[in-house]
Amino acid sequence: MSPLVKRYLEERGAAFSVVTHRPLISFEDAKEILPHDPRNMVKSLVFRCADDSLAIVALRAAERADYKKIAALGERRADLRMAEEEYVRDRLDMENGGVVPLPINGARVFIDRNVLELEEVVCGTGRKTATLVIALAELLRVAQAALADLSKAAAIADQSSPAAS
């Protein structure tokens, strides 16, 4: 677990547990390695903004990010780009494949509304070899995140609802 993440959670009195495991990067790895329900798995993507600030976007691991919706949070779509692995490591003390949706070092955090369906969240710890297990209510309390519709799955679900017909 990243020391910055651990300190952040402990300073806020967060209740959580950590599962250590062999390195994982993808959702497929997580489904194979972790003993948790894949529906509770949340991935976090890190974007480097035009002003060099960072935005962390968390969504359910099985869903795809909607870059147009993410850009609407304050970046031009043309300027929206994934943060380089080295930049993420230097600024957040996190590894790609293990990013946790917390405002470490001033990163802005956005959580997709579909995550609100969960009671428990299984996500990164800053390291590829450990996973955070935390109640959704606890994550929301400490993450200081904005909620938004950020996944393509959310748009598909909206279109298939009877009200949209």
Side-chain angles (χ1 to χ4, degrees):
M1 173 176 229
S2 160
L4 286 179
V5 170
K6 183 177 183 186
R7 185 171 63 234
Y8 183 91
L9 291 169
E10 288 176 347
E11 285 175 354
R12 284 150 186 84
F16 64 93
S17 63
V18 175
V19 177
T20 57
H21 46 73
R22 70 179 197 256
L24 61 84
I25 302 283
S26 69
F27 179 48
E28 293 306 313
D29 290 344
K31 289 192 300 186
E32 178 185 317
I33 294 170
L34 297 175
H36 300 89
D37 185 338
R39 292 174 294 192
N40 292 339
M41 295 178 186
V42 171
K43 65 183 172 187
S44 296
L45 307 174
V46 183
F47 295 92
R48 188 170 177 176
C49 303
D51 65 359
D52 275 340
S53 67
L54 293 175
I56 299 172
V57 174
L59 55 153
R60 293 177 80 165
E63 296 179 351
R64 292 179 47 207
D66 187 322
Y67 286 74
K68 186 175 181 180
K69 290 178 181 179
I70 293 168
L73 299 172
E75 293 292 312
R76 290 182 337 137
R77 173 61 181 102
D79 293 336
L80 189 65
R81 64 190 190 280
M82 296 293 290
E84 303 84 3
E85 189 166 356
E86 185 175 309
Y87 196 74
V88 171
R89 188 173 39 254
D90 291 347
R91 293 278 307 272
L92 301 177
D93 188 34
M94 295 184 200
E95 300 171 337
N96 286 348
V99 174
V100 58
L102 293 174
I104 303 296
N105 288 333
R108 293 178 296 148
V109 178
F110 301 92
I111 296 178
D112 182 66
R113 289 188 198 282
N114 287 343
V115 173
L116 298 179
E117 298 170 7
L118 305 176
E119 289 184 29
E120 179 180 78
V121 171
V122 177
C123 64
T125 62
R127 300 293 183 261
K128 299 175 197 178
T129 56
T131 296
L132 180 71
V133 181
I134 188 168
L136 174 65
E138 191 74 343
L139 177 64
L140 293 174
R141 180 181 72 80
V142 298
Q144 305 168 9
L147 300 174
D149 293 318
L150 303 170
S151 64
K152 288 189 177 185
I156 292 167
D158 290 346
Q159 292 173 359
S160 65
S161 69
S165 301

